[in-house]
Amino acid sequence: HFYKRLMGKDKGKGGGGAKGGGKDKGDKGGKDDKKGGAKEKGGGSSSVNVRHILCEKQSKCLEALTKLEAGEKFNEVAAKYSEDKARNGGSLGWMTRGSMVGPFQEAAFALPVSSLANPHYTNPPVKTQFGYHIIMVEGKK
């Protein structure tokens, strides 16, 4: 279950936020600085209302991306293609900074807020240990 694994894995570093994440990823030190800058630019948002499409294989994820580019709704493509158990049109709901895996979190906070009617999503997909994600943000706070 992607969501539970995601939450469980990162619970320990949740309190530390972006800084805590650097603990087990030594090579990410430089990226943490960038995150700090992005945070200020984004009005200091600490959580995002996020949807994603998760595919283990890049080819399947790119196929889903083609459907999105052809104008299919994000939630419908997510229902068809996503291998995540968050079957609610790919919605993960509100996720706080520090509760997501590094590359996913960086992409989510960098994206502009958009809607299903006019979505902005990660292209190319973001790779994490879970597979390839197409991420879309519906809100920030």
Side-chain angles (χ1 to χ4, degrees):
H1 195 155
F2 173 78
Y3 185 69
K4 284 218 170 74
R5 281 194 300 173
L6 190 72
M7 297 305 286
K9 178 186 179 308
D10 285 310
K11 256 199 180 95
K13 27 183 213 199
K19 280 189 218 109
K23 202 166 46 196
D24 62 337
K25 301 182 191 107
D27 62 324
K28 293 241 165 130
K31 286 188 180 165
D32 281 347
D33 299 338
K34 258 195 276 178
K35 262 188 239 168
K39 193 170 161 182
E40 286 156 33
K41 204 165 56 190
S45 53
S46 61
S47 53
V48 283
N49 187 1
V50 69
R51 281 181 191 267
H52 76 147
I53 298 168
L54 169 66
C55 303
E56 192 182 332
K57 302 238 181 309
Q58 188 177 17
S59 55
K60 187 174 179 185
C61 203
L62 294 175
E63 208 177 301
L65 202 54
T66 307
K67 298 284 185 197
L68 290 172
E69 286 166 351
E72 284 195 39
K73 293 223 177 303
F74 195 96
N75 54 331
E76 290 165 11
V77 176
K80 263 185 263 181
Y81 285 87
S82 188
E83 294 160 18
D84 178 17
K85 299 295 174 270
R87 284 277 171 220
N88 191 3
S91 179
L92 294 172
W94 287 98
M95 301 284 284
T96 56
R97 193 180 285 278
S99 72
M100 298 165 273
V101 290
F104 186 99
Q105 175 170 288
E106 284 172 37
F109 281 100
L111 279 169
V113 172
S114 63
S115 65
L116 287 174
N118 185 18
H120 286 277
Y121 42 83
T122 53
N123 185 358
V126 175
K127 182 166 177 22
T128 70
Q129 74 260 42
F130 300 107
Y132 295 85
H133 307 259
I134 301 170
I135 306 164
M136 174 192 165
V137 172
E138 292 185 293
K140 289 187 185 185
K141 59 183 179 184

